[in-house]
Amino acid sequence: MEQAPHEHGAAAPGTRAAAVPHAAPGPAGWAPAARATLHCLTGCALGEILGMVIGTALSWHNVPTMVLAIVLAFVFGYALTVRGVLAAGVGLRAALRVALAADTLSIAVMELIDNGVIVLWPSAMDAQLSDALFWGVLAASLVLAFVVTTPVNKWMISRGKGHAVVHRYHH
């Protein structure tokens, strides 16, 4: 028998409570934190790389290129989470709230580390698409962002925040 999609964590009829559930805090292991970070890294990397490639290819200055990369990192990061939550039968508005709750801190930390490395690495801001330095620094910055963000996600999951919220929607 086919079941109609339903919204998890929906408020009781007649109430105005948010549809985003709160996961119970508890011990969080490194494996779930690494998986959450890898999920976040996937969206961030897609947006970051696309933004850097577009800005560099169009010979934009460093600031607009970096702003585009950061905006696209957030867009792609949120989009991947929204896609998964929508697949669980949750409505778009609730899925957006879940993505914002689950990914904002993780993406922000990842982008801070990623872009900080690029800005601080000598000559990285002047590298072109054909330079090994461009791709090497970008890869190194994403790896470092993963390493730094994993403990942040572990901390959030242990408090029932971040990707702990998303996992309530996976069956």
Side-chain angles (χ1 to χ4, degrees):
M1 177 184 290
E2 187 175 342
Q3 292 182 330
H6 58 281
E7 187 159 309
H8 297 273
T15 67
R16 298 181 57 86
V20 178
H22 296 283
W30 286 105
R35 282 191 300 274
T37 307
L38 186 59
H39 176 269
C40 186
L41 179 68
T42 302
C44 286
L46 287 169
E48 186 74 27
I49 292 168
L50 184 60
M52 290 290 185
V53 167
I54 290 170
T56 302
L58 296 175
S59 299
W60 287 2
H61 292 286
N62 293 335
V63 172
T65 297
M66 196 163 280
V67 168
L68 177 63
I70 291 168
V71 167
L72 289 177
F74 274 91
V75 168
F76 277 86
Y78 289 142
L80 287 179
T81 297
V82 167
R83 185 178 138 249
V85 175
L86 287 173
V90 176
L92 180 60
R93 179 174 275 169
L96 288 170
R97 278 187 253 149
V98 169
L100 289 171
D103 292 338
T104 300
L105 181 60
S106 183
I107 295 171
V109 170
M110 201 163 282
E111 286 302 297
L112 178 67
I113 299 304
D114 177 39
N115 287 285
V117 168
I118 293 169
V119 166
L120 295 174
W121 197 294
S123 302
M125 294 297 288
D126 298 321
Q128 298 300 308
L129 294 175
S130 59
D131 297 336
L133 180 64
F134 178 92
W135 297 104
V137 172
L138 190 54
S141 70
L142 291 170
V143 168
L144 186 58
F146 175 85
V147 169
V148 172
T149 307
T150 299
V152 172
N153 281 324
K154 184 179 185 298
W155 176 78
M156 288 193 313
I157 291 168
S158 72
R159 282 152 184 76
K161 309 256 186 240
H163 279 263
V165 175
V166 174
H167 289 292
R168 300 196 94 212
Y169 293 98
H170 294 273
H171 299 233

